[in-house]
Amino acid sequence: MTDIAYMPGCTLKTSGRNFDETTRKFLELFGVKLNELPDWCCCGTTYSLASDNLMYHLAPARNLVKAAESGSSKLLVPCAMCYNTLRRAQDLILNDKEKRDKLNDFMDKEKTKISGDEVRVMHLVSFLKEDVGFDTIKAKITPPPAGLKAAVYYGCMLLRPNEIAIDKHPEDPSIMEKLLEACGIETVYFPFKTECCGSYQVVNEKRLVVSRTAEIVKSAFRNGAELIITSCPLCYFNLDAHQEELSRGVKYFNTVPVMYISQLLALLAGVVEGSNYSLHAVDPRPLLRKKGLLA
Amino acid sequence: MKINVSREILAGELRDKVKELSAQNLLACYQCGKCSAGCPSIEAMDIMPSQVLRLVQLGQVRQALASKTIWLCAACQTCKVRCPKGVDLAKIMEALRQVVLRESANYVQPNEIPGENLEKLPQVALIANFRKFTR
Amino acid sequence: MNIGIKKKPRLNRIGVFLCHCGINIASVIDLERVKAAISKYEGVAFARDYQYMCSEPGQELFKEACRSGSIDGIVVASCSPRLHETTFRRAAEEAGLNSYRVEIANIREQCSWVHHDDHEKATAKAIEILAGVIERARSDEALVAPSIPVTKKALVIGAGISGMQTALNIANSGYEVILLDRQSSIGGHMAQLSETFPTLDCSQCIMTPRMVEVGQNKKIKLMTYSEVEEVSGYVGNFKVKVRRKAAYVDWNKCTGCGICSEKCPTKVKSEFNQMLADRKAIYTPFPQAVPNKFVIDRESCIYFKRGKCQVCLKTCPLKAIDFEQKDRIEELEVGTIVAATGYDLYDKENLEEYRMGYCPDVIDSLTFERLLSASGPTGGKIRRPSDGKIPEEIVFIQCCGSRDPENHFAYCSKVCCMYTAKHAMLYKHRVPQGQPYIFYMDIRAGGKNYEEFVQRAVEEEEVVYLRGRVSKLYRDNGKIVVAGVDTLSMAKVEVRADMVVLAMAMRPAWGIEDIVKKLKIQVDANGFLAEAHPKLRPVETMTQGIFIVGCAQAPKDIPDTVAQAGAAASKVVELFSQERLSREPITSWSDEELCAGCGQCVEQCAYQAIEIDPKKKVARVNEILCQGCGACVVTCPSGAMNQKNFTVKQYYNMIEAMV
């Protein structure tokens, strides 16, 4: 068993626990044991953009300290928001000596001082590509007998800014498509795959998010998607929770279920536990049964 | 619509503050509008993101701060990655929000959010929202 | 401290002329005192003053002194040498005194004009200046300007409009030109264009007569389907090895009848038609090709790939096909080289946000030219490459890759505003029910009739100009969604277009790095060929005898290209009109006994004028290329390098005399 340090993030422990559970179970099949960072805290999303806001960088910095102390060379992060915040904070610590020193000084109670190169912050998909290998995954899964068309929705946090992007072509990424295609899933052309869902505007400007959801889901449906795959609990919520409202209010709106990438991968690998389908607003079970992925 | 421009107005303290907080060269923007063209929230905004920067360039910072635009930004970074002049507009939007937040009150009052929303919304949405809209 | 000049007898009879320069010098400096002081100076034969030395009588005085034989060198104390040094030197030559034994002492700009408020000090300084210059003049050698013969033949690399025009101008001045192109036909990109702005003349119609003229001109030798292999030598005496590529067709026999092409079974995408149509493996790029000869594309030809077919061989009535043909190298001797290598468009694949899901209906501007062209793949009808439908909503996007310092290129490609207006207008003529939209940032229409042309597009042809860049393009249901903005109406604009044309940035033609290395010339920060001076020397390079012209130097339109071709040709003719090329003899030279062959001077020389002799391991300066800048003298660690009449010893003498 390889031990890898793991940062689930707050939401993956509550409304996003499907993501957490299925990620662990899927990786276990490849001999990877995910060890949650001891005493981890909120990653502090979203990454603070003001040039003088060092307090806001403390949250990701403390997690990086824990990661450095874990002894693991890699920190696996499935949540796109955590990934983005941790990576950007790490780059700041690595490149800005003045801020790095200030942060380390402030965290004087921590046992370790960090320089930003102790651990490689990796998104789940990058880990699956580089450390597990798509061919190895392909060998462990059974493609859905009736085929399945999925639209991969990347959102923002995995691709922007360019320094942290998980794909060499952040404007037209294909890493997740390649993974799914290796598993026998047909991925569809989906021009909205990198368009923002509205993110945290859902709290106080819901109509903006609802209108974005409409555009994104409609585009996926128009291009033949039966399922939308995502890797971010906020995107997942935004796209999933508002479809019911849309299907009532908007003519010809067709719902498309949304799932986390690890949920689908786990199912394909024959792991049935881990997903609590009651957490979905748009129930994917009818589709999954139709495709022979669920009994 | 009329604005006044003079050396004093251009050399204003607020403009310097925005420049400092964002660490961006405000003059690099040549108003091509590509940021506005790619902004996901633009349909709800009163003035376009590129216009916000134009106002700041001309020293009309108060007007920029009074817009709804800066609060509709989702920090998606699309503007930043596509800007042909390398201007990080996301940082400028953050600087403008910070000027307001540090001067006055929170934009979002956490205790005014209806209870049922608090239950339904994933934590990450609340955290991110409060990070951006409260001090 | 090494001085490096063999002890030579110094001049002892220097004639000194002090010019009053009207009141410019005389009102500040007490010339009587100066005369008295200098007359007593060692090595001075006499000191005389005069009102205006540069006037006719002044010149006569000067020449008299030269002719007299009683002096062996002259110092004229006057204004800056920039003004009259050449005048006096020429006069000396005419009167029998070596012109490099004439020196100017500047007592105006460097004395009377700047010290006009202190006559006492100014006079004292004038004496010091003169003392220094006299010391220097005493060690001046009687230099003779070197000269070399010039091969009166030019090589023009690239046969687009810039190369063709340059060649024609040189040829019509009476000199031979070799016009080289790597394609099998001359014409370049202009041959691909449909109509040209602002007149909307058909490009082929204005160019083909010129192409024919080039083909028939007795002084122009065409070498198409050829590439430069190696270049050596220097101005007036270049040796160029040219690779004549194997066409596998004997051009002496080929009449361009085209039967071979008709019968050839292999179809490949035509580069000339921007991959929208096919050509055969044996082909000419376009029907009006000059020379009208066929070539076999070895990579697509079935015979070369699998050893079968040979239909062309069997059907050619003149037995011109020759599969055994090989590349051959031809050696040329030319006096000048003109680089006219032209441009290519930046690849649209580089614009990732416009590439979302490959779409064949998003094309670049040259491809649109082929659609517009009456001899193009669609016979001049505007049809979408994907399904052949006529687009009724068409979007043109300017500044694609240009004016984008963050991701692509900072410069403006100059011609896109004009040709996009042209494209929109021509589209409207062909598709009257269609609506063209142009996304732009600024409109650059500075040439003659250019502004009026653009306004015509807006007002008469009803082209909708939207001011703003486009953030993204993507396919949706048979349309292309263009997500742009109009900053003038302060709104995001979305157009569901049938076709999108991208005005891609102009880049120097592919393979330019290779030419640059072979010619040993410079490129600028953007990869374009570097001119010697941005304002005053637009067609010259730092390497004498090599000139640049057209879009290879910077993006420009056809009128500017033709004008620049005239300029380059005139520089070539300037060189050729001299019997021999002579140079100022104030060149540097290396004392072989002191030179260690370290090579630092070679590295420092901006004009590649120094070489290390391989056998003796000493530096040798090419007197013709040396510009007398002195950088090598400064660099030389052993003091072996010196400059004629500017020797280190002379400088020390001057300093001693002044101090």
Side-chain angles (χ1 to χ4, degrees):
Chain A
M1 270 289 177
T2 329
D3 284 73
I4 300 281
Y6 176 58
M7 165 74 176
C10 51
T11 315
L12 257 64
K13 289 298 185 187
T14 56
S15 55
R17 41 184 191 282
N18 285 343
F19 200 177
D20 178 43
E21 292 289 324
T22 52
T23 297
R24 286 178 201 271
K25 290 198 157 46
F26 185 68
L27 283 173
E28 259 170 38
L29 299 174
F30 301 96
V32 176
K33 182 157 177 292
L34 295 177
N35 296 322
E36 273 184 42
L37 292 175
D39 203 24
W40 59 266
C41 60
C42 165
C43 68
T45 203
T46 54
Y47 179 73
S48 169
L49 300 170
S51 64
D52 64 353
N53 227 333
L54 279 186
M55 285 301 268
Y56 276 29
H57 295 307
L58 277 179
R62 282 200 199 276
N63 284 310
L64 290 171
V65 167
K66 304 282 185 282
E69 290 168 354
S70 72
S72 169
S73 63
K74 302 189 168 114
L75 175 66
L76 190 98
V77 189
C79 166
M81 314 265 314
C82 290
Y83 171 73
N84 188 292
T85 313
L86 287 170
R87 268 298 301 272
R88 289 190 82 172
Q90 191 182 48
D91 283 350
L92 176 80
I93 291 167
L94 193 64
N95 297 320
D96 189 327
K97 182 171 189 315
E98 206 188 306
K99 296 207 164 110
R100 171 169 75 238
D101 289 342
K102 258 198 184 148
L103 282 168
N104 275 318
D105 277 343
F106 189 87
M107 297 190 290
D108 56 348
K109 297 275 190 346
E110 300 284 352
K111 282 182 273 131
T112 317
K113 299 263 170 272
I114 48 169
S115 15
D117 55 2
E118 290 83 10
V119 83
R120 184 173 162 201
V121 175
M122 277 183 96
H123 182 255
L124 169 65
V125 172
S126 309
F127 186 82
L128 289 176
K129 176 168 185 205
E130 293 172 41
D131 288 59
V132 183
F134 290 175
D135 285 333
T136 316
I137 296 173
K138 186 173 175 171
K140 270 251 192 311
I141 60 98
T142 318
L148 176 61
K149 284 194 181 156
V152 178
Y153 178 68
Y154 287 82
C156 314
M157 299 280 113
L158 293 178
L159 302 168
R160 298 187 275 268
N162 290 339
E163 294 81 45
I164 61 100
I166 61 169
D167 188 297
K168 282 193 308 273
H169 299 284
E171 289 285 3
D172 193 5
S174 55
I175 184 174
M176 283 210 259
E177 283 88 336
K178 290 201 175 83
L179 168 54
L180 291 178
E181 271 160 29
C183 299
I185 307 285
E186 190 189 326
T187 58
V188 302
Y189 162 75
F190 177 35
F192 275 74
K193 66 181 174 183
T194 60
E195 295 284 316
C196 180
C197 65
S199 186
Y200 52 77
Q201 293 288 350
V202 69
V203 176
N204 56 303
E205 202 73 45
K206 197 176 108 165
R207 19 170 222 112
L208 177 61
V209 171
V210 172
S211 111
R212 294 300 291 171
T213 301
E215 290 292 326
I216 294 165
V217 176
K218 278 203 276 195
S219 170
F221 182 80
R222 246 199 328 266
N223 284 290
E226 296 167 298
L227 181 66
I228 296 176
I229 292 293
T230 178
S231 175
C232 170
L234 187 46
C235 296
Y236 168 86
F237 176 80
N238 281 346
L239 293 181
D240 183 43
H242 303 109
Q243 288 197 42
E244 205 203 348
E245 186 184 327
L246 284 168
S247 67
R248 277 186 274 119
V250 176
K251 226 175 178 187
Y252 309 125
F253 181 84
N254 301 84
T255 59
V256 180
V258 185
M259 283 174 78
Y260 291 108
I261 186 158
S262 57
Q263 277 183 293
L264 182 59
L265 288 173
L267 266 187
L268 291 171
V271 176
V272 184
E273 331 82 51
S275 276
N276 179 349
Y277 293 103
S278 65
L279 290 173
H280 288 251
V282 180
D283 195 343
R285 278 175 293 191
L287 173 72
L288 296 173
R289 283 189 198 113
K290 194 166 91 161
K291 299 292 175 175
L293 289 168
L294 220 51
Chain B
M1 193 187 129
K2 179 178 178 244
I3 62 174
N4 290 322
V5 192
S6 69
R7 281 167 303 165
E8 288 79 35
I9 291 176
L10 288 173
E13 211 188 292
L14 269 184
R15 193 173 103 143
D16 281 342
K17 194 82 199 133
V18 173
K19 187 156 187 257
E20 194 199 309
L21 279 179
S22 65
Q24 295 299 301
N25 178 4
L26 304 175
L27 299 177
C29 168
Y30 57 13
Q31 292 287 297
C32 73
K34 197 163 177 181
C35 48
S36 303
C39 177
S41 316
I42 197 170
E43 282 166 54
M45 291 173 168
D46 49 352
I47 56 174
M48 304 201 300
S50 50
Q51 277 182 281
V52 169
L53 181 46
R54 183 64 181 154
L55 288 170
V56 176
Q57 281 181 333
L58 294 177
Q60 318 292 314
V61 187
R62 283 273 162 226
Q63 253 193 63
L65 294 175
S67 70
K68 280 173 66 188
T69 301
I70 63 177
W71 307 107
L72 286 167
C73 168
C76 75
Q77 313 288 313
T78 304
C79 51
K80 174 221 170 17
V81 301
R82 293 203 184 141
C83 176
K85 292 302 267 340
V87 175
D88 190 333
L89 189 60
K91 288 196 173 161
I92 296 173
M93 289 291 165
E94 181 97 322
L96 289 164
R97 288 190 292 262
Q98 286 291 310
V99 166
V100 175
L101 292 174
R102 294 179 196 189
E103 257 186 24
S104 49
N106 293 338
Y107 178 70
V108 159
Q109 304 301 343
N111 53 5
E112 284 175 16
I113 297 177
E116 51 161 18
N117 288 8
L118 284 177
E119 276 179 35
K120 272 201 304 199
L121 292 167
Q123 295 112 295
V124 63
L126 294 166
I127 296 167
N129 189 289
F130 298 160
R131 280 287 206 179
K132 290 283 184 242
F133 298 150
T134 65
R135 28 156 200 204
Chain C
M1 212 185 347
N2 223 313
I3 313 299
I5 187 172
K6 302 226 190 314
K7 283 254 186 271
K8 278 203 167 81
R10 302 184 74 199
L11 301 181
N12 261 317
R13 292 168 292 129
I14 303 281
V16 181
F17 285 96
L18 303 167
C19 183
H20 289 225
C21 195
I23 54 161
N24 280 300
I25 294 176
S27 64
V28 177
I29 296 175
D30 183 347
L31 286 171
E32 284 305 315
R33 262 182 51 201
V34 178
K35 204 168 38 173
I38 291 301
S39 301
K40 294 198 219 94
Y41 205 76
E42 192 194 329
V44 173
F46 66 78
R48 202 167 291 167
D49 67 311
Y50 190 69
Q51 285 279 320
Y52 296 103
M53 280 305 293
C54 55
S55 65
E56 274 233 23
Q59 291 281 295
E60 241 329 287
L61 263 179
F62 180 89
K63 284 190 188 165
E64 232 185 85
C66 297
R67 276 182 232 125
S68 74
S70 62
I71 48 120
D72 51 14
I74 298 193
V75 171
V76 180
S78 63
C79 54
S80 162
R82 273 196 177 280
L83 293 155
H84 292 305
E85 186 180 70
T86 326
T87 321
F88 285 119
R89 287 199 168 161
R90 211 178 290 142
E93 199 68 46
E94 282 170 24
L97 177 70
N98 182 287
S99 50
Y100 295 96
R101 282 184 162 157
V102 173
E103 294 286 355
I104 309 288
N106 184 346
I107 56 169
R108 189 180 78 171
E109 281 85 340
Q110 288 185 359
C111 195
S112 68
W113 269 4
V114 291
H115 302 302
H116 54 85
D117 50 355
D118 193 335
H119 297 197
E120 211 20 74
K121 290 211 167 128
T123 306
K125 180 172 171 179
I127 295 174
E128 280 174 20
I129 292 176
L130 263 168
V133 180
I134 290 168
E135 277 304 318
R136 179 207 175 153
R138 290 188 67 198
S139 299
D140 273 346
E141 295 197 43
L143 301 176
V144 176
S147 68
I148 46 159
V150 177
T151 308
K152 295 187 199 214
K153 210 189 275 187
L155 168 65
V156 178
I157 304 174
I161 182 69
S162 61
M164 291 197 299
Q165 188 61 52
T166 310
L168 277 172
N169 290 348
I170 299 173
N172 289 337
S173 307
Y175 299 103
E176 285 181 46
V177 189
I178 296 161
L179 181 57
L180 187 149
D181 199 291
R182 63 183 167 196
Q183 308 241 37
S184 59
S185 167
I186 60 178
H189 284 301
M190 193 173 162
Q192 288 178 292
L193 304 182
S194 163
E195 280 107 316
T196 55
F197 59 79
T199 49
L200 295 184
D201 283 327
C202 149
S203 176
Q204 288 274 2
C205 306
I206 55 176
M207 203 183 63
T208 11
R210 213 153 277 214
M211 281 169 67
V212 170
E213 207 188 318
V214 166
Q216 292 179 348
N217 191 310
K218 296 222 184 324
K219 294 244 180 237
I220 300 180
K221 176 159 187 222
L222 277 183
M223 280 194 190
T224 57
Y225 215 54
S226 305
E227 302 206 30
V228 171
E229 188 81 358
E230 196 185 296
V231 178
S232 60
Y234 52 88
V235 59
N237 301 275
F238 288 109
K239 287 197 175 25
V240 184
K241 288 202 181 115
V242 172
R243 176 182 295 275
R244 309 297 306 271
K245 299 191 288 197
Y248 308 107
V249 175
D250 185 346
W251 282 12
N252 291 320
K253 296 190 184 142
C254 176
T255 56
C257 69
I259 293 178
C260 54
S261 198
E262 249 177 89
K263 303 288 184 201
C264 175
T266 311
K267 284 202 182 130
V268 216
K269 288 277 173 247
S270 159
E271 295 84 354
F272 183 81
N273 274 315
Q274 299 287 112
M275 310 308 208
L276 289 182
D278 293 330
R279 60 159 170 85
K280 300 296 182 69
I282 183 166
Y283 71 106
T284 53
F286 54 99
Q288 301 87 349
V290 170
N292 191 11
K293 309 279 178 189
F294 280 72
V295 301
I296 297 182
D297 167 14
R298 202 197 156 102
E299 282 172 22
S300 326
C301 169
I302 295 179
Y303 175 71
F304 282 112
K305 289 203 293 195
R306 299 198 304 261
K308 299 227 159 61
C309 185
Q310 292 197 321
V311 168
C312 48
L313 182 72
K314 295 173 195 142
T315 53
C316 175
L318 297 149
K319 305 264 179 283
I321 311 291
D322 177 9
F323 287 106
E324 302 309 308
Q325 215 179 63
K326 299 262 179 291
D327 289 0
R328 47 171 230 283
I329 307 286
E330 229 177 273
E331 288 205 27
L332 307 174
E333 280 180 23
V334 293
T336 58
I337 302 176
V338 181
T341 46
Y343 71 92
D344 274 318
L345 289 185
Y346 190 43
D347 193 343
K348 65 178 161 65
E349 295 307 301
N350 289 301
L351 300 180
E352 293 204 9
E353 63 272 31
Y354 292 173
R355 224 183 42 189
M356 174 62 84
Y358 167 71
C359 182
D361 298 326
V362 176
I363 59 176
D364 68 22
S365 35
L366 261 180
T367 311
F368 193 70
E369 287 283 349
R370 293 314 298 152
L371 286 178
L372 283 170
S373 172
S375 58
T378 55
K381 295 203 175 5
I382 313 294
R383 289 192 186 283
R384 306 205 313 172
S386 62
D387 53 13
K389 287 213 185 88
I390 297 179
E392 289 179 337
E393 303 265 337
I394 186 167
V395 169
F396 297 88
I397 304 179
Q398 293 183 184
C399 301
C400 290
S402 309
R403 302 187 63 188
D404 195 329
E406 183 68 10
N407 301 309
H408 307 286
F409 302 103
Y411 59 87
C412 165
S413 290
K414 202 167 184 192
V415 294
C416 332
C417 286
M418 285 309 295
Y419 74 54
T420 304
K422 174 192 80 171
H423 283 174
M425 277 212 269
L426 292 172
Y427 162 82
K428 205 61 203 289
H429 294 170
R430 320 253 168 125
V431 187
Q433 78 279 21
Q435 179 60 56
Y437 305 88
I438 299 180
F439 281 96
Y440 73 102
M441 283 208 285
D442 297 286
I443 293 299
R444 288 158 181 198
K448 215 170 202 184
N449 292 316
Y450 284 15
E451 173 65 17
E452 297 88 326
F453 184 81
V454 177
Q455 290 307 324
R456 222 178 95 194
V458 176
E459 295 171 29
E460 289 177 29
E461 310 290 352
E462 297 185 34
V463 176
V464 170
Y465 271 80
L466 297 161
R467 199 230 165 237
R469 278 192 121 134
V470 169
S471 186
K472 190 166 158 165
L473 295 180
Y474 60 91
R475 275 184 296 127
D476 186 44
N477 215 11
K479 296 271 191 185
I480 305 158
V481 180
V482 179
V485 72
D486 181 36
T487 62
L488 298 179
S489 55
M490 304 187 273
K492 178 172 159 154
V493 174
E494 212 172 77
V495 181
R496 296 180 64 82
D498 295 315
M499 195 153 125
V500 176
V501 182
L502 304 175
M504 298 303 303
M506 224 185 215
R507 296 293 301 140
W510 65 267
I512 191 108
E513 307 82 13
D514 189 57
I515 288 284
V516 161
K517 230 191 289 175
K518 290 181 174 147
L519 292 177
K520 295 202 203 73
I521 55 178
Q522 266 78 49
V523 286
D524 65 20
N526 292 307
F528 289 95
L529 300 182
E531 57 289 313
H533 187 278
K535 284 272 201 223
L536 299 175
R537 299 173 70 192
V539 295
E540 298 162 71
T541 61
M542 290 300 269
T543 310
Q544 276 184 69
I546 301 187
F547 304 102
I548 54 180
V549 74
C551 289
Q553 182 252 339
K556 57 175 67 72
D557 53 24
I558 294 168
D560 283 351
T561 302
V562 172
Q564 203 179 46
S570 91
K571 295 307 277 180
V572 169
V573 170
E574 242 179 66
L575 265 170
F576 288 176
S577 61
Q578 303 168 45
E579 265 321 305
R580 292 177 71 88
L581 202 56
S582 69
R583 282 280 170 269
E584 280 274 315
I586 48 163
T587 51
S588 57
W589 55 281
S590 170
D591 185 337
E592 294 188 13
E593 285 174 23
L594 298 166
C595 175
C598 72
Q600 286 192 44
C601 52
V602 179
E603 276 179 43
Q604 281 302 312
C605 182
Y607 307 98
Q608 276 130 33
I610 313 181
E611 270 176 3
I612 302 288
D613 181 312
K615 277 207 283 260
K616 290 179 108 179
K617 293 268 186 294
V618 292
R620 287 269 155 74
V621 178
N622 181 326
E623 285 191 319
I624 296 299
L625 291 177
C626 175
Q627 298 286 300
C629 74
C632 53
V633 179
V634 172
T635 310
C636 179
S638 66
M641 264 304 176
N642 240 313
Q643 196 172 345
K644 294 181 188 153
N645 283 5
F646 282 85
T647 63
V648 179
K649 171 85 177 169
Q650 278 174 298
Y651 277 113
Y652 278 120
N653 288 345
M654 281 175 84
I655 294 169
E656 262 195 58
M658 286 169 168
V659 170

